[in-house]
Each structure stands twice: as structure tokens, then as C-alpha cells.
Amino acid sequence: NEAALIAARHDKQTVGKQDFLDAVDRIIGGLEKKTKVMTAAEKRSIALHEAGHATISWFCQYANPLVKVSIVPRGQALGAAWYMPEERQITTKEQMLDEMCALLGGRAAEELFTGHISTGAMNDLERATKSAFGMIAYAGMGDRLPNICYYNNQEYQFQRPYSETTAKIIDDEVLKLINDEYARAKQILTEHKEGHNELAELLIKREVIYAEDVEKIFGKR
């Protein structure tokens, strides 16, 4: 329905792919805030950040396929990368690691190509940390705590179902997992820095790019 409204506003006779993508943007991300004032340096930093996500996801085999990347502010977000998640009944460790690496690609790109890190990665870091904790504490995917699940489904039980010693091991494993994927993200970006920079410049120029634009730069995924 939203896509049809968007098509009608542009005097189109049929609803196209672009109308559906715009509808998804509005429903999930909120209305565009093109009046939000950004400096040239901020816009470049955001473009580098979002291009980082796009580049990493393009070269990680199990990351979700990219649909579009935008640096048009929506809601609280200053930019976003949109993906088409694959339908999975179960998720492997390799898939979770690739998704985590893609999440950390924005922060890694900022550090590598601006020399600074910003608060723009807070949501990415929150999601990556939750995923890493789930892998270690619930899914038994840790090196030091393999095949152990500490999930507690007791609604009113306020104690953790593991000791302080185990808590420290979980913290160490989560930190190592995230740091390893962050290092991998930086390595991928360094190997493809020319393409990443071309992607960021295209974003600055056009503000919205699609999977086919990324394919022209990096080749088929």
C-alpha cells in the first residue's frame, strides 16, 4: 500500500521495484530528514562508514545480500545499509561470524580512513556484542566453553546460572571474538581500499546506491 502511494505521488501507472524499496525505507527507517544539517566532514565520515558495511558484506560469503546503501538521514539514523536476509531455520557459526564482521565494517572504515572513531557505530556495536555473547553463553560456540549453554528461562530467578570465574571466561571470549572479527574487517577493507573509496565517493555524490552499483565496482559477489 505504501509503495502504491509513493508511485501515485510520482504519477506512475504501475508500482516498480524502486517504489517498494522506498516503502520499506519509510516503514522501517522513518521519513527522510533531508533538512538535517551536516558538515562536509560529517557526510564523508558517514559515507565511509556505510561503504564499510557494504564492502565487508560483499566479500563475506555468508553475510546477507546487500540491497541498497543510503546516507540520507531517517529517524535517528544518519545512514543505513539494507540487506535481504536469507531464510534460515538454523544458523552456523561461520554465518554468525560473517554477519558480525559486516556489522563492525563501519567502525573499522572510520578508524582506517579518517583516523577517528565516532558514536555512529553504537547500534552496530550493541548488535555485535549481543551476538557474540549469545554465541559463547547460549550456543556453546566458545573455544574455552564449547558445547555449554547457560541460558536461564526462570522468569524470577535473578542469579546468573554460572560462577564469577565462568563469567570472566565468557567476557574474555566475547572480547576476543569481537576483536578478531574487527581485525578481519580492517584486513578486508585494506585489501579493497580503492573500491571502498570509490563506493564512498559515489555515496557522497548520489546519497543512495544499490547492489548493482556495488557490483560495478567490485564485480559479482
Side-chain angles (χ1 to χ4, degrees):
N1 288 341
E2 183 69 22
L5 290 171
I6 292 169
R9 290 192 193 104
H10 293 91
D11 295 323
K12 295 181 181 178
Q13 298 302 312
T14 58
V15 178
K17 175 184 175 183
Q18 183 60 52
D19 302 312
F20 280 108
L21 291 175
D22 289 344
V24 171
D25 287 351
R26 292 192 184 192
I27 293 166
I28 297 176
L31 294 173
E32 291 182 353
K33 294 186 176 179
K34 290 191 175 183
T35 55
K36 187 172 284 189
V37 179
M38 287 190 290
T39 66
E42 286 174 331
K43 189 172 183 179
R44 178 168 181 76
S45 179
I46 295 164
L48 288 167
H49 180 109
E50 297 304 335
H53 288 307
T55 302
I56 299 296
S57 67
W58 201 259
F59 289 100
C60 282
Q61 179 180 355
Y62 300 111
N64 286 323
L66 182 73
V67 175
K68 66 181 284 190
V69 187
S70 169
I71 58 169
V72 178
R74 289 179 182 275
Q76 298 299 312
L78 298 176
W82 303 93
Y83 302 91
M84 185 66 71
E86 297 176 350
E87 289 190 23
R88 299 169 181 163
Q89 301 304 316
I90 58 172
T91 305
T92 67
K93 182 178 181 179
E94 290 74 20
Q95 289 167 337
M96 296 181 79
L97 290 176
D98 276 3
E99 292 293 346
M100 192 184 304
C101 189
L103 278 172
L104 297 169
R107 166 62 67 88
E110 286 183 31
E111 183 181 349
L112 279 174
F113 304 120
T114 72
H116 305 284
I117 57 175
S118 74
T119 56
M122 283 178 63
N123 180 254
D124 302 328
L125 299 179
E126 179 186 359
R127 291 168 61 193
T129 303
K130 286 181 177 178
S131 177
F133 184 84
M135 290 174 69
I136 302 300
Y138 302 148
M141 294 179 177
D143 293 332
R144 296 170 62 190
L145 297 170
N147 308 319
I148 297 292
C149 176
Y150 291 107
Y151 180 71
N152 180 10
N153 62 357
Q154 300 297 314
E155 187 175 354
Y156 297 108
Q157 186 171 335
F158 298 105
Q159 284 186 318
R160 290 180 301 192
Y162 45 82
S163 67
E164 288 299 322
T165 302
T166 301
K168 178 66 168 63
I169 295 173
I170 291 173
D171 287 344
D172 290 344
E173 290 241 57
V174 167
L175 184 61
K176 182 180 183 301
L177 201 59
I178 291 174
N179 284 343
D180 286 350
E181 291 310 305
Y182 188 67
R184 182 160 74 111
K186 290 170 73 173
Q187 180 184 347
I188 293 171
L189 288 170
T190 301
E191 290 172 1
H192 301 281
K193 61 183 178 182
E194 291 84 6
H196 171 269
N197 184 66
E198 189 177 342
L199 204 58
E201 292 298 332
L202 191 62
L203 263 175
I204 293 170
K205 180 181 177 182
R206 286 174 33 189
E207 295 192 329
V208 179
I209 60 174
Y210 299 91
E212 48 265 36
D213 299 309
V214 183
E215 187 174 309
K216 287 177 184 176
I217 294 173
F218 292 126
K220 281 198 174 292
R221 185 165 182 257

